[in-house]
Amino acid sequence: MQDLDLLFFLTDTGTLMTFSPVNKTFSSNTLPTRPDSIDQISTYLTYLYVLNADGTMLFRYPRAQGGFGEGTPWLKQNLDRDPQASFALNESVFIFSKSALTQYSQGKTVRVFETPKVIPNQLLLATEPENTLLLGLDTENERLIAWDAHGQIIEQYFSETLKNAISLSLNNRSVLISTPTETFEIILP
């Protein structure tokens, strides 16, 4: 959470932890939801966004003392059930579900992004505030897909190394990809 200089972690036991690089401390945070109902988390400004475990709903939680307040559904409609759904956000929310990548703003659909010829079953997504790129990591097909702000594919990168990737992050043109044993960096042109 850049506005608060905090890093968030959702542990395997469902505990929401923060790390403050400023004072180098870890803290437990309260979240008024069942941990088993959380699949993915992300932050934007002072809000925590949570995709539920079956991929049907995205919730937004406001920051509160010691954690987060009551969440509200962010999407204006539920999504079709997809436990493999994923999301990323900046000024918009991007959700990959049922082999389609959709951009949302203020809870409403903006556009459906271009799909590659070989449509992925699952994607890890990454973007960041004020960055026009959206990245999708398709481990099954060993590729990294880059979309522009209009939803057009601008590049695809293929490498056997991507098959074992478990996480993806973006910082300007620097892409960090982690496998169970290493993290490597790709600088996009």
Side-chain angles (χ1 to χ4, degrees), residues 146-160:
W147 286 271
D148 65 17
H150 305 291
Q152 300 302 305
I153 294 173
I154 54 175
E155 194 66 62
Q156 294 186 64
Y157 305 91
F158 295 87
S159 172
E160 269 187 39

Side-chain angles (χ1 to χ4, degrees), residues 157 173-175 185-189:
Y157 305 91
R173 295 285 184 182
S174 173
V175 180
E185 180 182 31
I186 300 170
I187 305 296
L188 300 175

Side-chain angles (χ1 to χ4, degrees), residues 35-151:
D36 62 340
S37 67
I38 299 172
D39 186 54
Q40 295 178 34
I41 63 171
S42 191
T43 62
Y44 182 68
L45 299 176
T46 59
Y47 293 96
L48 177 75
Y49 290 77
V50 173
L51 183 65
N52 68 348
D54 66 3
T56 58
M57 213 43 215
L58 184 70
F59 295 92
R60 184 172 81 166
Y61 294 84
R63 188 77 173 137
Q65 186 66 28
F68 291 89
E70 197 61 40
T72 56
W74 187 83
L75 293 170
K76 303 297 183 205
Q77 76 282 344
N78 285 353
L79 301 169
D80 291 335
R81 186 179 188 289
D82 183 0
Q84 294 185 17
S86 60
F87 82 105
L89 54 96
N90 53 25
E91 296 77 15
S92 295
V93 171
F94 306 91
I95 299 176
F96 182 78
S97 179
K98 300 284 186 183
S99 298
L101 180 56
T102 307
Q103 178 184 5
Y104 298 88
S105 180
Q106 299 178 348
K108 299 177 186 169
T109 301
V110 175
R111 69 177 52 93
V112 176
F113 278 38
E114 176 185 6
T115 55
K117 287 183 179 29
V118 177
I119 299 173
N121 293 315
Q122 187 174 3
L123 282 177
L124 293 174
L125 297 174
T127 190
E128 64 177 344
E130 300 178 18
N131 194 329
T132 59
L133 288 178
L134 176 68
L135 300 179
L137 180 59
D138 174 11
T139 57
E140 182 181 357
N141 296 299
E142 303 172 347
R143 67 180 164 179
L144 180 67
I145 307 165
W147 286 271
D148 65 17
H150 305 291

